[in-house]
Amino acid sequence: MQLTRRLSTVFLAAAAAAGFMSAAQAQTTMRISISVAQNSHQGVAIDTFAREVEKRTAGRYKIQTFYSGALGGERESIEAVQLGTQELTFTSTGPVPNFVPSARILDIPFLFRDKAHARAVLDGQIGQDMLKEFEPKGFKALAWGENGVRHMTNSKRSVNAPDDLKGLKMRTMENPVHVAAYKGFGIVTTPMAFPEVFTALQQGTVDGQENPLSVIMAAKFDQVQKHLSLTGHVYSPAIFLMSKGAFDKLSAADKTAFLEAAKEGAKVGRARVDEDDSKGVAELRSKGMTVIENVDKSKFIAALAPVNAEFEKQFGKANIDKIRAVK
Ligand code: EAX
Protein backbone atom coordinates (compact mmCIF):
# COMPACT_ATOMS: atom_id res chain seq x y z
CA MET A 1 0.00 0.00 0.00
CA GLN A 2 2.68 2.34 1.12
CA LEU A 3 4.81 1.40 -1.86
CA THR A 4 1.90 2.06 -4.18
CA ARG A 5 1.37 5.45 -2.65
CA ARG A 6 5.04 6.25 -2.98
CA LEU A 7 5.03 5.12 -6.56
CA SER A 8 2.04 7.24 -7.38
CA THR A 9 3.78 10.26 -5.84
CA VAL A 10 6.74 9.57 -8.09
CA PHE A 11 4.36 9.19 -11.00
CA LEU A 12 2.67 12.51 -10.20
CA ALA A 13 6.03 14.26 -9.88
CA ALA A 14 7.11 12.85 -13.23
CA ALA A 15 3.84 13.95 -14.80
CA ALA A 16 4.29 17.43 -13.38
CA ALA A 17 7.83 17.54 -14.73
CA ALA A 18 6.57 16.41 -18.12
CA GLY A 19 3.92 19.12 -18.03
CA PHE A 20 6.54 21.69 -17.19
CA MET A 21 8.71 20.38 -20.01
CA SER A 22 6.00 20.80 -22.58
CA ALA A 23 5.40 24.36 -21.35
CA ALA A 24 9.11 24.99 -21.77
CA GLN A 25 8.99 23.55 -25.25
CA ALA A 26 6.26 26.02 -26.13
CA GLN A 27 8.87 28.70 -25.66
CA THR A 28 10.07 30.19 -28.95
CA THR A 29 13.72 31.16 -29.21
CA MET A 30 14.83 33.95 -31.52
CA ARG A 31 18.27 35.38 -32.30
CA ILE A 32 19.50 38.97 -32.34
CA SER A 33 23.00 40.07 -33.31
CA ILE A 34 25.33 43.06 -33.22
CA SER A 35 28.71 43.58 -34.85
CA VAL A 36 30.37 45.13 -31.77
CA ALA A 37 31.28 43.67 -28.37
CA GLN A 38 28.77 43.01 -25.60
CA ASN A 39 30.35 45.66 -23.39
CA SER A 40 29.07 48.52 -25.53
CA HIS A 41 26.11 50.81 -26.24
CA GLN A 42 24.77 48.21 -28.65
CA GLY A 43 25.34 45.37 -26.19
CA VAL A 44 23.22 47.02 -23.50
CA ALA A 45 20.56 47.81 -26.12
CA ILE A 46 20.09 44.17 -27.17
CA ASP A 47 20.52 42.80 -23.64
CA THR A 48 17.74 45.13 -22.48
CA PHE A 49 15.60 44.16 -25.47
CA ALA A 50 16.05 40.45 -24.72
CA ARG A 51 15.17 40.90 -21.06
CA GLU A 52 12.13 43.04 -21.84
CA VAL A 53 10.77 40.61 -24.44
CA GLU A 54 11.03 37.72 -22.00
CA LYS A 55 9.41 39.75 -19.24
CA ARG A 56 6.62 41.16 -21.39
CA THR A 57 5.74 37.76 -22.93
CA ALA A 58 5.99 35.88 -19.61
CA GLY A 59 8.92 33.90 -20.97
CA ARG A 60 7.12 32.57 -24.05
CA TYR A 61 9.76 34.25 -26.19
CA LYS A 62 13.43 33.90 -25.47
CA ILE A 63 15.93 36.12 -27.27
CA GLN A 64 19.43 34.73 -27.76
CA THR A 65 22.01 37.49 -28.07
CA PHE A 66 25.09 37.33 -30.33
CA TYR A 67 27.90 39.87 -30.19
CA SER A 68 31.05 40.87 -32.11
CA GLY A 69 29.77 39.78 -35.50
CA ALA A 70 29.44 36.15 -34.34
CA LEU A 71 26.61 35.69 -36.87
CA GLY A 72 28.32 37.85 -39.52
CA GLY A 73 28.79 41.56 -40.20
CA GLU A 74 25.94 44.04 -40.40
CA ARG A 75 25.20 43.55 -44.10
CA GLU A 76 25.12 39.77 -43.71
CA SER A 77 22.85 40.03 -40.66
CA ILE A 78 20.42 42.35 -42.43
CA GLU A 79 20.38 39.93 -45.35
CA ALA A 80 19.65 37.00 -43.02
CA VAL A 81 16.80 38.92 -41.39
CA GLN A 82 15.39 39.81 -44.79
CA LEU A 83 15.53 36.14 -45.81
CA GLY A 84 14.05 35.11 -42.45
CA THR A 85 16.94 32.77 -41.55
CA GLN A 86 17.68 35.05 -38.58
CA GLU A 87 14.81 36.73 -36.72
CA LEU A 88 16.41 39.95 -35.50
CA THR A 89 19.43 42.20 -35.73
CA PHE A 90 20.46 45.53 -34.26
CA THR A 91 22.56 47.43 -36.74
CA SER A 92 23.90 50.82 -37.64
CA THR A 93 22.37 52.24 -40.81
CA GLY A 94 25.73 51.65 -42.55
CA PRO A 95 24.61 48.92 -44.97
CA VAL A 96 20.86 49.75 -44.73
CA PRO A 97 20.64 51.87 -47.93
CA ASN A 98 21.53 48.75 -49.94
CA PHE A 99 18.20 47.30 -48.74
CA VAL A 100 16.03 50.40 -48.14
CA PRO A 101 17.34 53.17 -50.43
CA SER A 102 15.12 55.91 -48.97
CA ALA A 103 17.00 55.58 -45.65
CA ARG A 104 20.09 57.07 -47.34
CA ILE A 105 19.03 60.57 -46.39
CA LEU A 106 19.79 59.92 -42.70
CA ASP A 107 23.48 59.26 -43.41
CA ILE A 108 24.25 62.69 -44.88
CA PRO A 109 27.23 64.28 -43.06
CA PHE A 110 26.44 67.27 -40.86
CA LEU A 111 22.69 66.72 -41.37
CA PHE A 112 21.94 66.75 -37.65
CA ARG A 113 23.11 69.52 -35.29
CA ASP A 114 23.65 67.08 -32.44
CA LYS A 115 22.30 63.88 -30.86
CA ALA A 116 19.25 65.66 -29.43
CA HIS A 117 18.29 66.84 -32.92
CA ALA A 118 18.78 63.36 -34.40
CA ARG A 119 16.73 61.73 -31.63
CA ALA A 120 13.92 64.26 -32.15
CA VAL A 121 13.84 63.52 -35.88
CA LEU A 122 13.95 59.73 -35.47
CA ASP A 123 11.33 59.66 -32.71
CA GLY A 124 9.16 62.20 -34.54
CA GLN A 125 7.03 61.93 -37.67
CA ILE A 126 9.93 61.71 -40.15
CA GLY A 127 11.63 58.85 -38.34
CA GLN A 128 8.43 56.95 -37.65
CA ASP A 129 7.36 57.24 -41.30
CA MET A 130 10.79 55.95 -42.31
CA LEU A 131 10.32 52.83 -40.15
CA LYS A 132 7.33 51.92 -42.33
CA GLU A 133 9.50 52.01 -45.47
CA PHE A 134 11.21 48.82 -44.29
CA GLU A 135 8.04 46.72 -44.52
CA PRO A 136 7.82 46.24 -48.30
CA LYS A 137 11.46 45.05 -48.16
CA GLY A 138 10.71 42.19 -45.77
CA PHE A 139 11.52 43.88 -42.45
CA LYS A 140 9.61 45.04 -39.45
CA ALA A 141 11.65 47.97 -38.14
CA LEU A 142 10.82 47.91 -34.43
CA ALA A 143 12.52 51.11 -33.30
CA TRP A 144 15.41 53.46 -33.94
CA GLY A 145 18.38 53.09 -31.66
CA GLU A 146 21.68 54.92 -31.70
CA ASN A 147 25.22 54.21 -32.81
CA GLY A 148 26.48 57.72 -32.12
CA VAL A 149 28.30 60.68 -33.60
CA ARG A 150 31.24 59.57 -35.73
CA HIS A 151 34.80 60.83 -35.39
CA MET A 152 37.97 60.05 -37.33
CA THR A 153 41.00 58.09 -36.23
CA ASN A 154 44.19 57.23 -38.09
CA SER A 155 47.73 56.02 -37.57
CA LYS A 156 49.54 58.71 -39.59
CA ARG A 157 48.88 62.26 -38.40
CA SER A 158 46.77 64.70 -36.44
CA VAL A 159 43.74 65.83 -38.39
CA ASN A 160 42.70 69.45 -37.81
CA ALA A 161 41.26 70.29 -41.22
CA PRO A 162 40.10 68.45 -44.35
CA ASP A 163 43.51 69.10 -45.95
CA ASP A 164 45.04 66.73 -43.40
CA LEU A 165 42.80 63.94 -44.70
CA LYS A 166 44.03 64.15 -48.28
CA GLY A 167 45.41 60.81 -49.37
CA LEU A 168 44.64 58.99 -46.13
CA LYS A 169 43.34 55.51 -46.82
CA MET A 170 40.34 55.05 -44.58
CA ARG A 171 37.92 52.24 -44.03
CA THR A 172 34.32 53.37 -44.48
CA MET A 173 31.07 51.56 -43.92
CA GLU A 174 29.48 49.91 -46.94
CA ASN A 175 27.33 53.02 -47.33
CA PRO A 176 27.10 54.91 -50.62
CA VAL A 177 26.38 58.28 -48.96
CA HIS A 178 29.42 58.04 -46.71
CA VAL A 179 31.67 56.92 -49.55
CA ALA A 180 30.60 59.85 -51.75
CA ALA A 181 30.99 62.37 -48.93
CA TYR A 182 34.36 61.16 -47.69
CA LYS A 183 35.76 61.34 -51.20
CA GLY A 184 34.79 65.01 -50.92
CA PHE A 185 37.19 65.24 -47.96
CA GLY A 186 39.98 63.84 -50.13
CA ILE A 187 40.02 60.49 -48.35
CA VAL A 188 40.91 57.31 -50.23
CA THR A 189 37.81 55.34 -49.26
CA THR A 190 37.88 51.60 -48.60
CA PRO A 191 34.44 50.17 -47.77
CA MET A 192 34.75 47.14 -45.50
CA ALA A 193 32.59 45.14 -43.08
CA PHE A 194 33.18 46.01 -39.44
CA PRO A 195 34.51 42.61 -38.26
CA GLU A 196 37.52 43.06 -40.60
CA VAL A 197 38.43 46.57 -39.46
CA PHE A 198 40.68 45.87 -36.45
CA THR A 199 42.96 43.58 -38.47
CA ALA A 200 42.99 45.98 -41.42
CA LEU A 201 44.12 48.80 -39.11
CA GLN A 202 46.66 46.56 -37.40
CA GLN A 203 48.19 45.36 -40.64
CA GLY A 204 48.13 48.82 -42.22
CA THR A 205 45.81 47.80 -45.05
CA VAL A 206 44.09 51.09 -44.21
CA ASP A 207 45.45 54.13 -42.30
CA GLY A 208 42.27 55.00 -40.47
CA GLN A 209 38.58 54.64 -39.89
CA GLU A 210 35.72 56.66 -38.43
CA ASN A 211 33.26 55.66 -35.71
CA PRO A 212 31.56 56.96 -32.56
CA LEU A 213 33.62 56.99 -29.34
CA SER A 214 31.41 54.12 -28.12
CA VAL A 215 32.59 51.90 -30.98
CA ILE A 216 36.22 53.07 -30.85
CA MET A 217 36.36 52.07 -27.17
CA ALA A 218 34.38 48.82 -27.50
CA ALA A 219 36.58 47.70 -30.42
CA LYS A 220 39.80 48.83 -28.68
CA PHE A 221 40.91 50.76 -31.76
CA ASP A 222 43.24 52.72 -29.46
CA GLN A 223 45.53 49.66 -29.71
CA VAL A 224 46.00 50.21 -33.44
CA GLN A 225 45.29 53.95 -33.96
CA LYS A 226 47.29 56.89 -32.64
CA HIS A 227 45.28 59.95 -33.70
CA LEU A 228 41.68 60.82 -32.90
CA SER A 229 39.94 64.00 -34.13
CA LEU A 230 36.50 64.94 -32.88
CA THR A 231 35.23 65.71 -36.37
CA GLY A 232 31.65 64.73 -35.48
CA HIS A 233 31.11 64.62 -39.23
CA VAL A 234 28.05 62.39 -39.26
CA TYR A 235 25.40 61.03 -36.93
CA SER A 236 25.07 57.26 -37.09
CA PRO A 237 21.59 55.90 -36.34
CA ALA A 238 21.01 52.30 -35.33
CA ILE A 239 17.86 50.28 -35.78
CA PHE A 240 16.14 47.16 -34.43
CA LEU A 241 15.20 45.07 -37.46
CA MET A 242 13.01 41.99 -37.33
CA SER A 243 12.09 39.61 -40.10
CA LYS A 244 8.62 40.65 -41.22
CA GLY A 245 7.53 37.01 -41.42
CA ALA A 246 8.50 36.38 -37.78
CA PHE A 247 6.81 39.60 -36.62
CA ASP A 248 3.59 38.88 -38.50
CA LYS A 249 3.27 35.52 -36.73
CA LEU A 250 3.10 37.21 -33.29
CA SER A 251 -0.21 37.83 -31.55
CA ALA A 252 -1.29 41.48 -31.28
CA ALA A 253 -0.22 41.60 -27.62
CA ASP A 254 3.17 40.05 -28.39
CA LYS A 255 3.72 42.54 -31.23
CA THR A 256 3.26 45.33 -28.71
CA ALA A 257 5.66 43.56 -26.34
CA PHE A 258 8.39 43.41 -29.02
CA LEU A 259 7.85 47.05 -30.03
CA GLU A 260 7.99 48.26 -26.43
CA ALA A 261 11.02 46.11 -25.67
CA ALA A 262 12.86 47.67 -28.63
CA LYS A 263 12.02 51.17 -27.36
CA GLU A 264 13.43 50.24 -23.95
CA GLY A 265 16.57 48.86 -25.56
CA ALA A 266 17.00 52.04 -27.58
CA LYS A 267 16.63 54.19 -24.47
CA VAL A 268 19.30 52.30 -22.55
CA GLY A 269 21.59 52.29 -25.60
CA ARG A 270 21.31 56.05 -26.02
CA ALA A 271 22.07 56.61 -22.35
CA ARG A 272 25.22 54.52 -22.75
CA VAL A 273 26.24 56.58 -25.81
CA ASP A 274 25.93 59.73 -23.69
CA GLU A 275 28.03 58.14 -20.96
CA ASP A 276 30.69 57.01 -23.48
CA ASP A 277 30.76 60.46 -25.09
CA SER A 278 31.35 62.16 -21.76
CA LYS A 279 34.20 59.90 -20.64
CA GLY A 280 35.59 58.76 -24.01
CA VAL A 281 38.21 61.41 -24.67
CA ALA A 282 39.84 61.01 -21.25
CA GLU A 283 39.75 57.24 -21.52
CA LEU A 284 41.23 57.11 -25.02
CA ARG A 285 43.93 59.63 -24.03
CA SER A 286 44.83 57.47 -21.06
CA LYS A 287 45.27 54.58 -23.51
CA GLY A 288 47.76 56.65 -25.51
CA MET A 289 45.74 58.33 -28.23
CA THR A 290 46.40 61.93 -29.26
CA VAL A 291 43.05 63.71 -29.35
CA ILE A 292 42.23 66.88 -31.27
CA GLU A 293 39.08 68.17 -29.62
CA ASN A 294 38.54 71.55 -31.26
CA VAL A 295 38.18 70.83 -34.92
CA ASP A 296 36.98 73.70 -37.12
CA LYS A 297 33.84 72.01 -38.44
CA SER A 298 33.05 74.85 -40.86
CA LYS A 299 36.04 73.78 -42.99
CA PHE A 300 34.75 70.22 -43.15
CA ILE A 301 31.28 71.45 -44.04
CA ALA A 302 32.69 73.71 -46.76
CA ALA A 303 34.65 70.79 -48.25
CA LEU A 304 31.37 68.94 -48.74
CA ALA A 305 29.57 71.73 -50.64
CA PRO A 306 29.80 69.99 -54.06
CA VAL A 307 28.68 66.59 -52.77
CA ASN A 308 25.91 68.21 -50.72
CA ALA A 309 24.55 69.81 -53.88
CA GLU A 310 24.50 66.30 -55.34
CA PHE A 311 22.63 64.93 -52.27
CA GLU A 312 20.06 67.72 -52.57
CA LYS A 313 19.41 66.65 -56.15
CA GLN A 314 19.18 62.96 -55.26
CA PHE A 315 17.15 63.11 -52.04
CA GLY A 316 15.23 66.36 -52.59
CA LYS A 317 16.29 69.62 -50.99
CA ALA A 318 12.84 69.95 -49.40
CA ASN A 319 13.26 66.60 -47.64
CA ILE A 320 16.69 67.56 -46.31
CA ASP A 321 15.42 70.98 -45.19
CA LYS A 322 12.51 69.32 -43.40
CA ILE A 323 14.96 67.29 -41.31
CA ARG A 324 17.17 70.31 -40.63
CA ALA A 325 14.14 72.33 -39.51
CA VAL A 326 13.18 69.92 -36.72
CA LYS A 327 13.78 71.61 -33.35
O1 EAX B 1 27.52 49.35 -35.70
O2 EAX B 1 30.55 49.44 -39.23
C1 EAX B 1 30.63 50.37 -38.43
O3 EAX B 1 31.56 51.19 -38.48
C2 EAX B 1 29.58 50.54 -37.38
O4 EAX B 1 29.62 51.80 -36.85
C3 EAX B 1 29.84 49.54 -36.27
O5 EAX B 1 29.86 48.26 -36.77
C4 EAX B 1 28.77 49.64 -35.20
Side-chain angles (χ1 to χ4, degrees), residues 6-22:
R6 213 176 283 146
L7 275 178
S8 69
T9 308
V10 168
F11 176 73
L12 283 175
F20 174 76
M21 290 272 293
S22 71

Side-chain angles (χ1 to χ4, degrees), residues 261-301:
K263 279 191 202 141
E264 284 300 313
K267 202 160 54 177
V268 175
R270 282 174 176 177
R272 173 66 181 262
V273 171
D274 287 340
E275 195 188 317
D276 290 343
D277 279 345
S278 65
K279 68 169 196 208
V281 168
E283 189 166 318
L284 292 167
R285 271 203 181 113
S286 79
K287 300 217 157 117
M289 290 190 93
T290 302
V291 185
I292 309 280
E293 286 188 78
N294 297 313
V295 172
D296 183 355
K297 288 199 188 166
S298 66
K299 287 191 183 148
F300 286 86
I301 294 170

